[in-house]
Amino acid sequence: MSLTGKKFPNITVDAIDYLGDYLSINIFEEATQKGKKVLLFWYPKDFTFVCPTELHAFQEALPEFEKRNTVVIGASCDTNEVHFAWLNTTKDNGGIEGVTYPILADTNRNLSRVLGILEGEEKESEEFGYLFEGSNVTFRATYLIDEDGKVFHESVNDMPVGRNVKEYLRLIDAYAHVQKFGEVCPANWEEGKDAMHATRDGVASYLASQVSLS
């Protein structure tokens, strides 16, 4: 079920920061009470392969997200203790030392189950009732949430496919433009390019300007 255009689930989840402090984070409240946008990205497991490249990529872009009044939060179903061990493992050993944003520890899978991003499903067994078949870890799901707690973007990658962090910066820029000016952003829009009015005349004028540039 898609959450785009809807409020993000009001669920509190355990988390940890790079100092080892145990936290409780509610993504909906993080947005609405602090008046910030939130980028929440899920990854399958700590101490794996594509995952550390993504966590470092989000860390490198953190100043750009902060410029856009956006909080970055990572998430998986690993425990706080495993997160902290990974946070204290150096890059040359496959670790995420240097990552400073908080990481959710959705060990009970309450939030990831509601979001529908777990790999696998429950299947009935004659002997044991319902058993989970699959890895029961999350796909690479990403959510952008606005200051009112509404999801304005969601995407889910299969586990082998890493994300393009720059695309999320572009999406935040586009949504901020819509919020500020009331215009809509056409295909391939980037900061500084023309947007358009959501009318027949608006799209006609925009398309005509693109023809003149080609």
Side-chain angles (χ1 to χ4, degrees), residues 176-198:
H177 185 95
V178 173
Q179 289 177 307
K180 184 175 182 180
F181 297 105
E183 296 179 311
V184 294
C185 297
N188 299 323
W189 184 92
E190 294 177 345
E191 185 67 44
K193 290 187 176 182
D194 289 337
M196 63 187 190
H197 296 291

Side-chain angles (χ1 to χ4, degrees), residues 15-40:
I16 198 167
D17 65 16
Y18 70 103
L19 296 173
D21 293 329
Y22 283 48
L23 311 170
S24 293
I25 294 179
N26 183 307
I27 298 298
F28 178 81
E29 292 178 354
E30 196 77 13
T32 57
Q33 293 185 7
K34 295 184 179 179
K36 292 180 178 290
K37 293 181 176 67
V38 177
L39 183 148
L40 172 66

Side-chain angles (χ1 to χ4, degrees), residues 8-160:
F8 192 83
N10 191 344
I11 296 173
T12 300
V13 182
D14 290 339
I16 198 167
D17 65 16
Y18 70 103
L19 296 173
D21 293 329
Y22 283 48
L23 311 170
S24 293
I25 294 179
N26 183 307
I27 298 298
F28 178 81
E29 292 178 354
E30 196 77 13
T32 57
Q33 293 185 7
K34 295 184 179 179
K36 292 180 178 290
K37 293 181 176 67
V38 177
L39 183 148
L40 172 66
F41 73 97
W42 294 81
Y43 61 91
K45 290 188 287 188
D46 295 353
F47 291 99
T48 52
F49 318 112
V50 176
C51 297
T53 69
E54 293 192 309
L55 273 83
H56 285 300
F58 279 110
Q59 178 66 34
E60 289 168 10
L62 197 58
E64 293 299 318
F65 286 107
E66 291 172 346
K67 286 179 189 175
R68 292 161 172 81
N69 194 41
T70 300
V71 175
V72 174
I73 298 174
S76 79
C77 298
D78 297 281
T79 66
N80 274 334
E81 292 77 15
V82 175
H83 284 336
F84 193 56
W86 203 27
L87 284 162
N88 283 281
T89 303
T90 59
K91 275 187 178 182
D92 57 7
N93 280 319
I96 58 168
E97 185 179 45
V99 167
T100 59
Y101 49 81
I103 304 175
L104 302 187
D106 189 33
T107 54
N108 58 20
R109 290 163 171 74
N110 282 343
L111 182 53
S112 52
R113 187 177 296 109
V114 168
L115 295 174
I117 57 173
L118 290 167
E119 192 277 325
E121 60 182 332
E122 284 189 341
K123 292 195 174 180
E124 191 171 6
S125 159
E126 290 184 6
E127 186 176 0
F128 301 110
Y130 283 94
L131 298 176
F132 197 91
E133 186 173 292
S135 68
N136 207 22
V137 300
T138 68
F139 293 106
R140 299 185 192 281
T142 314
Y143 298 87
L144 293 176
I145 300 112
D146 71 13
E147 299 86 345
D148 294 320
K150 185 182 82 172
V151 177
F152 65 92
H153 169 84
E154 63 180 318
S155 59
V156 183
N157 291 8
D158 200 356
M159 294 175 189

